[in-house]
């Protein structure tokens, strides 16, 4: 500890108090990082200008983050002892991005040497979850490749060959100590306050004796002869790292004939020509073992980058009890994989200043660098809803549409909710409707579904997609979306129109071309103006004429007429008499088309609903306004909808 004490007293060196993260504190005790100690840097007088130093440091940092010019071969090597989780997905993603950003290959390798802990369906779940997330691999157990097989349990002969090579070269030896003997040694050493490391019992057994005992069937493990001094390793993030104590003679082949993780890992990385390894910082402390093995074989190690551990707000390592750790949580909450990858890539990696957090997978590839964060990464899910929404918006903008994704995450859930609401309406007694709410929608607020949702599945799918694209924004809460946009999917009961009319007193203080006008007069004017956009052929029209009529009912045709119509109408505040800013005709249109609900632009709503449904709603609203006026004057009702349409002098009988 004397060396560490001296290090603590050196000015400019990091102290324990300054090291805040869990992983950094653990590593601080077992390492010295010479590059982190400013007193070791010799700076000439000419270099002491602040601008020179800052510029130099900035260039050094940029060089450190820069990706290689040559293709990188990376790998993701999970153990099928559990399922894919957020941390392992992030590791896979970083390795995938590095390979794709450099034009290299991404390899999937299954490290199944711990046979006692295998979970029977874990391997298939790993494949399924990675594919669901959108990550594909160039080589792996199910796609093969030039360096297979890609399951470690199928490569045992390769490990035996390399273990025997180290034994023959005197760099490893067979250990015949039984597990019971080793446990007794550890217990005794612990009680006496001594090191519990392997005491080297079999280190000096001659090769001849070792061969003879092995040939007679005596069980053994193989241990590597570690260096008697700690070695320094190179790391992209930590620059240089060295443990305080040397490694003990660690096992590279277990008594069951399977290699340990440390040994199989380096043999496979070498055999598969892996150039870069990105993994969690918890593996940094094991990396000296790996580098010693590389050195023993005379191999050049790959480049290492150890990224921060994912921890919760209490800085505890994420575990199964935390939400959002298992992939099933994202699937159950209908979070698209693109949003999950976007969320994961921002956990410990930074892009250039000013770049948006929203990224597609290809944009992640294009922007990727080695700009990782040191220390623990506190996982907050606050940004996930934002990314969820942005990826929904991107999905809706894509051309051509990604129908499988749209169906899975947007169209089918909304269609299913519409079906559930209609099922509840059919099953609920009339007397109980007033008290019934399904998917946050009070059933009395709905009339029949718009026809487009009840026609063929293709028609319903097309309509729901257009409704989604018409909406101002798509929140991840689709139930809320459906509730807020209910009148894009259901027609409006006259009772709801009547109630909303009473709650919007400005409708009763209108002017048309500067002259006072009743609500029914205003609505009649709107109906007459909009009916001129396309003249209905009714039942007499040919299929070609009807098709042309639908095709002509577009935003481009609707907007000029709507703009001219609404400007002719103004409304006033009923209390002050002051004109309300804006074209008053919009208030009448929003009342007629959406029962006053806020939502998308009205021209877009009219295009979505189609000419037939739009005109039907406008005439219904005219009828409601007319009946209210007649009731106030003590007159009888306005008659049937057909009679109202006829009274307007319009050939609209095909609407009803």
């Amino acid at each position: 500890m004397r060396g560490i004490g001296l290090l603590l007293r050196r000015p400019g060196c990091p102290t324990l108090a300054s090291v805040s993260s869990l992983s950094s504190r653990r590593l601080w005790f077992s390492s010295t990082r010479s590059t982190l100690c400013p007193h070791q840097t010799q700076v000439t007088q000419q270099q002491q200008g602040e601008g020179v130093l800052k510029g130099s440091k900035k260039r050094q940092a940029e060089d450190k983050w820069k990706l290689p010019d040559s293709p990188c071969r990376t790998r993701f090597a999970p153990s099928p002892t559990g399922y894919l989780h957020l941390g392992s997905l992030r590791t896979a993603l970083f390795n995938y991005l590095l390979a794709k950003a450099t034009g290299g290959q991404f390899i999937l390798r299954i490290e199944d040497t711990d046979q006692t802990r295998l979970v029977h369906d874990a391997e298939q779940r790993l494949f399924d979850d990675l594919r669901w997330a959108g990550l594909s691999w160039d080589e792996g157990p199910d796609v093969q490749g030039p360096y297979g097989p890609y399951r470690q349990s199928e490569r045992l002969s390769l490990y035996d060959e390399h273990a025997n090579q180290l034994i023959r070269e005197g760099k490893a030896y067979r250990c015949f100590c039984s597990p019971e003997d080793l446990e007794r040694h550890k217990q005794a050493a612990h009680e006496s306050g001594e090191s519990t490391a392997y005491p080297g019992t079999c280190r000096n057994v001659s090769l001849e004796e070792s061969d003879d005992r092995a040939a007679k069937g005596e069980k053994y493990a193989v241990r590597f002869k570690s260096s008697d001094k700690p070695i320094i390793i190179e790391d992209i993030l930590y620059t240089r790292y060295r443990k305080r104590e040397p490694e003990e003679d660690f096992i590279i082949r277990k008594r069951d004939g399977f290699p340990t993780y440390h040994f199989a890992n380096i043999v496979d990385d070498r055999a598969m020509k892996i150039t870069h390894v990105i993994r969690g910082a918890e593996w940094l402390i094991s990396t000296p073992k790996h580098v010693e093995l590389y050195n023993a074989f005379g191999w050049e190690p790959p480049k290492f980058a150890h990224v921060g551990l994912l921890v919760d707000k209490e800085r505890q390592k994420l575990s199964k009890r935390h939400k959002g750790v298992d992939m099933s949580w994202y699937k159950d909450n209908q979070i698209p994989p693109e949003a999950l990858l976007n969320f994961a890539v921002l956990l410990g990696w930074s892009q250039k200043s000013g770049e948006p957090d929203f990224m597609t997978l290809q944009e992640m590839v294009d922007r990727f660098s080695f700009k990782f964060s040191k220390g623990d990464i506190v996982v907050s899910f606050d940004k996930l809803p934002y990314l969820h929404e942005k990826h929904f918006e991107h999905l809706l903008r894509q051309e051509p549409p990604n129908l499988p994704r749209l169906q899975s995450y947007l169209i089918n859930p909304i269609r299913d909710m519409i079906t559930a609401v209609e099922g509840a309406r059919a099953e609920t007694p009339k007397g109980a409707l007033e008290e019934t709410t399904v998917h946050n929608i009070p059933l009395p607020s709905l009339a029949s579904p718009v026809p487009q949702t009840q026609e063929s599945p293709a028609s319903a799918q097309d309509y729901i997609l257009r409704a989604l694209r018409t909406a101002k924004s798509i929140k991840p809460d689709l139930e809320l979306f459906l509730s807020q946009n209910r009148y894009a999917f259901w027609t409006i009961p006259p009772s709801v129109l009547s109630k909303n009319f009473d709650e919007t007193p400005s409708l009763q203080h209108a002017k048309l071309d500067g002259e006072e006008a009743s609500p029914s007069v205003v609505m009649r004017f709107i109906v007459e103006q909009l009916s001129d956009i396309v003249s209905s052929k009714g039942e007499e029209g040919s299929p070609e004429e009807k098709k042309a009529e639908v095709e002509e009912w577009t935003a481009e045709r609707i907007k000029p007429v709507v703009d001219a119509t609404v400007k002719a109408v103004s409304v006033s505040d009923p209390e002050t008499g002051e004109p309300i800013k804006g074209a008053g005709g919009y208030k009448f249109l929003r009342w007629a088309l959406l029962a006053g609900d806020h939502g998308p632009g009205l021209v877009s709503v009219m295009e979505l609903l189609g000419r037939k449904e739009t005109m039907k709603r406008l005439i219904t609203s005219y009828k409601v306004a007319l009946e209210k006026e007649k009731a106030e004057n003590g007159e009888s009702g306005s008659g049937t909808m057909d009679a109202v349409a006829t009274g307007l002098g319009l050939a609209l009988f095909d609407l009803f």
Side-chain angles (χ1 to χ4, degrees):
M1 292 298 290
R2 181 173 178 273
I4 292 182
L6 290 172
L7 181 63
L8 282 169
R9 290 191 290 273
R10 289 175 178 171
C13 286
T15 65
L16 176 60
S18 71
V19 181
S20 60
S21 71
L22 286 174
S23 56
S24 295
R25 280 176 179 263
R26 287 194 290 267
L27 297 173
W28 189 93
F29 277 112
S30 60
S31 67
T32 57
R33 302 183 183 93
S34 60
T35 56
L36 298 180
C37 298
H39 78 276
Q40 293 179 334
T41 305
Q42 300 299 316
V43 183
T44 66
Q45 287 184 332
Q46 291 83 357
Q47 291 174 316
Q48 286 179 353
E50 185 178 349
V52 174
L53 280 175
K54 284 185 177 178
S56 175
K57 288 180 180 178
K58 184 177 180 181
R59 283 193 298 274
Q60 289 175 4
E62 289 175 348
D63 289 343
K64 179 179 177 180
W65 300 332
K66 187 178 178 183
L67 299 185
D69 295 326
S70 56
C72 297
R73 282 180 61 84
T74 65
R75 47 74 168 176
F76 176 53
S79 173
T81 55
Y83 304 123
L84 190 72
H85 54 77
L86 182 61
S88 53
L89 176 68
R90 183 191 63 155
T91 298
L93 176 60
F94 285 160
N95 283 282
Y96 173 91
L97 294 176
L98 176 56
K100 299 308 172 185
T102 58
Q105 296 82 39
F106 174 60
I107 292 91
L108 177 64
R109 185 173 74 222
I110 300 299
E111 301 198 337
D112 57 349
T113 58
D114 192 348
Q115 296 284 297
T116 61
R117 297 177 57 232
L118 296 183
V119 176
H120 75 94
D121 65 336
E123 181 177 312
Q124 188 58 51
R125 275 275 299 273
L126 284 165
F127 294 160
D128 294 343
D129 286 345
L130 285 171
R131 286 199 175 95
W132 170 82
L135 299 183
S136 58
W137 43 97
D138 301 290
E139 302 168 28
D142 56 339
V143 297
Q144 296 309 312
Y147 303 104
Y150 293 90
R151 287 186 187 86
Q152 288 188 336
S153 59
E154 299 171 5
R155 300 170 64 86
L156 298 183
S157 61
L158 182 68
Y159 310 133
D160 285 343
E161 175 188 333
H162 284 84
N164 288 332
Q165 178 184 336
L166 292 180
I167 292 172
R168 296 296 160 202
E169 293 175 356
K171 298 172 182 176
Y173 57 91
R174 297 185 183 92
C175 174
F176 297 96
C177 300
S178 69
E180 294 76 18
D181 290 339
L182 295 173
E183 186 56 38
R184 280 193 291 271
H185 160 73
K186 283 185 178 181
Q187 186 67 29
H190 176 72
E191 291 173 356
S192 62
E194 298 176 359
S195 171
T196 58
Y198 178 67
T201 307
C202 298
R203 196 170 210 233
N204 296 318
V205 173
S206 68
L207 183 58
E208 291 76 16
E209 181 185 343
S210 174
D211 287 345
D212 184 57
R213 293 171 69 176
K216 291 178 179 177
E218 190 172 347
K219 281 196 168 186
Y220 65 88
V222 177
R223 289 183 180 271
F224 178 72
K225 287 185 178 179
S226 297
S227 170
D228 57 0
K229 293 181 181 179
I231 67 165
I232 296 174
I233 65 148
E234 304 289 332
D235 184 85
I236 292 170
L237 272 78
Y238 290 91
T239 310
R240 295 197 299 169
Y241 167 75
R242 180 177 62 191
K243 293 174 71 171
R244 185 166 56 88
E245 300 291 342
E247 301 289 345
E248 67 173 315
D249 286 359
F250 56 91
I251 293 174
I252 60 174
R253 178 191 178 276
K254 296 175 286 187
R255 288 165 63 89
D256 62 3
F258 278 80
T260 60
Y261 163 80
H262 304 296
F263 188 61
N265 181 281
I266 70 106
V267 170
D268 286 341
D269 281 351
R270 171 68 179 187
M272 295 178 183
K273 302 187 184 300
I274 301 302
T275 63
H276 291 74
V277 174
I278 303 175
R279 58 190 179 190
E282 67 267 33
W283 292 108
L284 182 58
I285 201 168
S286 298
T287 306
K289 287 186 175 77
H290 305 162
V291 173
E292 278 205 60
L293 286 167
Y294 278 110
N295 294 341
F297 284 112
W299 300 337
E300 181 181 354
K303 305 294 183 186
F304 295 103
H306 290 87
V307 296
L309 292 173
L310 300 185
V311 298
D312 63 17
K313 292 179 181 178
E314 284 72 44
R315 294 193 174 269
Q316 298 299 310
K317 186 175 179 180
L318 288 186
S319 63
K320 292 178 181 179
R321 65 184 175 84
H322 292 93
K323 76 166 189 177
V325 172
D326 192 88
M327 294 299 99
S328 60
W329 185 85
Y330 298 92
K331 295 178 183 180
D332 293 343
N333 285 276
Q334 286 290 296
I335 295 170
E338 295 85 357
L340 171 57
L341 291 179
N342 197 164
F343 177 67
V345 79
L346 296 173
L347 298 175
W349 173 77
S350 302
Q351 50 186 329
K352 290 180 181 178
S353 177
E355 296 280 10
D357 285 340
F358 167 80
M359 287 175 279
T360 63
L361 183 56
Q362 185 56 52
E363 286 169 336
M364 295 178 213
V365 171
D366 295 340
R367 299 177 194 174
F368 193 65
S369 70
F370 285 132
K371 195 176 180 181
F372 297 116
S373 303
K374 285 183 182 177
D376 298 335
I377 310 300
V378 177
V379 177
S380 168
F381 290 91
D382 294 345
K383 189 171 284 187
L384 186 57
Y386 163 79
L387 295 173
H388 192 168
E389 180 179 346
K390 288 298 179 184
H391 279 275
F392 270 179
E393 291 176 359
H394 174 74
L395 184 60
L396 287 168
R397 289 195 306 268
Q398 276 185 301
E399 289 293 350
N402 184 341
L403 280 178
R405 278 278 194 270
L406 286 165
Q407 289 168 337
S408 179
Y409 290 97
L410 292 169
I411 295 172
N412 291 350
I414 290 173
R415 185 197 60 203
D416 292 345
M417 284 190 282
I418 293 172
T419 301
V421 170
E422 285 304 294
R425 274 157 50 90
E427 295 172 5
T428 304
K430 287 186 177 181
L433 278 176
E434 291 292 332
E435 308 297 326
T436 306
T437 297
V438 180
H439 290 305
N440 287 328
I441 302 175
L443 295 187
S445 70
L446 306 177
S448 60
V450 297
Q452 296 94 320
T453 65
Q454 303 302 300
E455 295 170 358
S456 66
S459 171
Q461 174 177 285
D462 176 69
Y463 182 81
I464 293 171
L465 177 56
R466 289 193 295 113
L468 287 161
R469 287 178 164 177
T470 300
K472 280 185 175 179
S473 64
I474 302 297
K475 301 293 183 185
D477 186 347
L478 293 182
E479 188 177 74
L480 179 63
F481 165 79
L482 187 65
S483 173
Q484 292 177 340
N485 295 274
R486 71 189 76 178
Y487 296 126
F489 302 98
W490 282 274
T491 56
I492 310 169
S495 60
V496 171
L497 283 172
S498 178
K499 182 174 182 292
N500 186 259
F501 180 90
D502 294 337
E503 294 170 350
T504 315
S506 60
L507 296 177
Q508 302 173 51
H509 294 76
K511 289 183 178 182
L512 181 60
D513 291 328
E515 300 291 332
E516 289 186 4
S518 68
S520 66
V521 169
V522 173
M523 284 307 306
R524 179 179 183 124
F525 169 73
I526 291 173
V527 169
E528 289 172 343
Q529 295 301 306
L530 295 182
S531 67
D532 288 340
I533 295 176
V534 180
S535 296
S536 173
K537 298 293 182 180
E539 296 298 331
E540 298 174 359
S542 68
E544 291 75 17
E545 288 173 324
K546 290 181 178 179
K547 184 172 184 288
E549 183 176 306
V550 171
E551 290 174 349
E552 289 175 22
W553 186 261
T554 62
E556 290 74 18
R557 291 288 305 275
I558 299 168
K559 189 176 187 307
V561 180
V562 168
D563 287 347
T565 302
V566 298
K567 286 177 183 177
V569 182
S570 62
V571 293
S572 302
D573 187 307
E575 295 183 3
T576 66
E578 293 293 320
I580 295 175
K581 190 176 181 181
Y586 281 123
K587 275 196 171 293
F588 278 90
L589 275 177
R590 192 162 289 279
W591 167 64
L593 297 175
L594 297 173
D597 284 356
H598 296 290
L602 292 172
V603 171
S604 298
V605 170
M606 293 168 68
E607 183 179 36
L608 170 69
L609 293 174
R611 177 183 180 279
K612 188 172 180 177
E613 180 62 26
T614 296
M615 298 307 298
K616 198 171 179 180
R617 292 188 185 196
L618 294 176
I619 295 171
T620 301
S621 301
Y622 164 71
K623 182 175 184 292
V624 168
L626 188 61
E627 287 178 343
K628 281 188 169 290
E629 292 165 15
K630 288 191 173 186
E632 287 180 6
N633 297 326
E635 300 176 23
S636 60
S638 58
T640 65
M641 291 297 291
D642 282 332
V644 171
T646 302
L648 289 169
L650 302 173
L652 298 174
F653 51 82
D654 63 312
L655 298 178
F656 306 104

